[in-house]
Amino acid sequence: MTKNYETVFILTPVLSEAQMKDTVGKFKKVLTDNGAEIVNEENWGLRKLAYPIQHKTTGFYHLFEFRSEPELIAKLETEYRREEAVMRFLTTVLDKHAVVYNERRKKGEFNKKKETKKEAAAK
């Protein structure tokens, strides 16, 4: 039975742009070669970490949202552990509410700028 998952991983900031793309491509290949359907992929870029990891204060964040069989998660996380460029990763199962939330987030419903009273009055 397929489930919805979301995985976020942080790559070391010392990678070049090409190395980062190759590493992301490697994990994407692990997902697709094992029958996962990638629903959404987001590159969040270089961000500051909440606390230093391996003496580094920044990292490249990447997110995959996908559907797959539960057996794939162990394979994916083994690949994360083998890759030296991965500083942290987290994979979660999405329930029906999280899937709906992600759909709304992708449509931009939460990031819309609220109209101020002055902007509303100007119309």
Side-chain angles (χ1 to χ4, degrees):
M1 185 175 112
T2 61
K3 291 185 176 181
N4 294 300
Y5 295 95
E6 184 175 83
T7 185
V8 176
F9 54 93
I10 306 170
L11 300 175
T12 182
V14 298
L15 297 176
S16 68
E17 187 77 17
Q19 290 172 319
M20 185 197 59
K21 287 182 180 176
D22 287 346
T23 307
V24 169
K26 176 183 169 183
F27 296 125
K28 189 173 186 176
K29 188 171 178 358
V30 168
L31 290 170
T32 55
D33 286 354
N34 288 286
E37 176 191 349
I38 296 176
V39 177
N40 184 31
E41 179 180 353
E42 294 177 18
N43 181 3
W44 295 348
L46 187 67
R47 291 185 170 213
K48 186 176 179 188
L49 303 173
Y51 55 88
I53 301 172
Q54 300 169 356
H55 306 289
K56 295 173 180 69
T57 57
T58 58
F60 291 107
Y61 282 69
H62 203 86
L63 172 138
F64 284 117
E65 184 182 341
F66 59 96
R67 291 188 193 103
S68 79
E69 298 294 326
E71 295 81 23
L72 174 59
I73 304 307
K75 288 180 187 176
L76 179 65
E77 292 189 348
T78 300
E79 292 298 322
Y80 284 149
R81 288 184 185 96
R82 286 182 180 160
E83 179 60 52
E84 289 181 10
V86 175
M87 296 193 309
R88 289 285 190 275
F89 63 89
L90 179 67
T91 304
T92 56
V93 179
L94 300 176
D95 64 8
K96 64 181 181 183
H97 303 293
V99 172
V100 170
Y101 176 85
N102 280 350
E103 287 294 324
R104 293 180 64 197
R105 185 180 58 84
K106 284 185 277 187
K107 291 177 185 173
E109 292 183 20
F110 304 121
N111 293 330
K112 288 185 180 173
K113 190 176 177 182
K114 292 184 179 176
E115 274 189 18
T116 62
K117 289 182 180 178
K118 287 181 184 178
E119 290 173 343
K123 289 185 177 179

